């Protein structure tokens, strides 16, 4: 069975970049456009990895990550924060919220793919 990646991202352009990137791999992509939908999709799909934007409508990525990590059925799923908030302290804040990795936008698709492989291999 192919590994599944949940992308929680509210910007269509960013979703398209990741969609095109994942299309070149054996992974299956699930998408959610806000934090609450991301938490629901994680519970429903039980993905193997979550790419979490931080600036999201409804609830932000920090809160979505906290909710996912608070659920015993989901807490094992690695979460990579993908954010344009590359300020000092943001990585620590993302990790404190339960994220397992951190990636700043704009990102190199090749580097993002390497990070995904690292978590899923």
């Amino acid at each position: 069975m192919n590994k599944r990646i949940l992308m929680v991202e509210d910007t269509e352009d960013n979703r398209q970049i990741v969609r095109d990137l994942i299309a070149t791999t054996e992974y299956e992509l699930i998408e959610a456009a806000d934090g609450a939908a991301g938490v629901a999709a994680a519970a429903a799909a039980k993905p193997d990895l979550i790419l979490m934007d931080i600036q999201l409508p409804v609830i932000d990525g920090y809160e979505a990550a906290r909710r996912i990590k608070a659920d015993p059925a989901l807490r094992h799923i690695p979460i990579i924060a993908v954010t344009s908030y590359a300020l000092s302290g943001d990585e620590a804040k993302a990790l404190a919220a339960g994220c397992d990795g951190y990636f700043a936008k704009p990102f190199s698709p090749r580097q993002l793919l390497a990070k995904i492989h690292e978590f899923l291999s």
Side-chain angles (χ1 to χ4, degrees):
M1 191 170 131
N2 288 348
K3 298 211 167 170
R4 286 184 298 197
I5 298 169
L6 168 60
M7 168 179 47
V8 187
E9 167 65 69
D10 61 327
T11 308
E12 175 57 35
D13 288 351
N14 292 338
R15 282 205 304 270
Q16 190 59 56
I17 291 166
V18 175
R19 211 178 279 139
D20 293 344
L21 181 67
I22 299 302
T24 68
T25 72
E26 71 281 10
Y27 305 129
E28 180 188 329
L29 186 66
I30 303 153
E31 297 177 34
D34 68 62
V39 174
K46 307 266 192 310
D48 298 286
L49 177 69
I50 299 170
L51 300 176
M52 180 74 72
D53 186 23
I54 296 300
Q55 279 185 285
L56 289 167
V58 190
I59 60 172
D60 69 18
Y62 296 126
E63 180 58 27
R66 279 192 286 271
R67 291 186 191 183
I68 290 165
K69 292 297 187 175
D71 184 331
L74 305 176
R75 78 167 46 122
H76 68 281
I77 302 169
I79 300 174
I80 301 175
V82 183
T83 179
S84 49
Y85 265 7
L87 303 171
S88 92
D90 278 349
E91 183 169 2
K93 195 170 168 187
L95 298 176
C99 295
D100 302 277
Y102 181 88
F103 225 81
K105 294 180 203 167
F107 53 78
S108 141
R110 211 177 34 145
Q111 286 177 318
L112 181 63
L113 202 53
K115 184 68 116 175
I116 289 169
H117 285 318
E118 191 185 304
F119 274 96
L120 292 180
S121 57

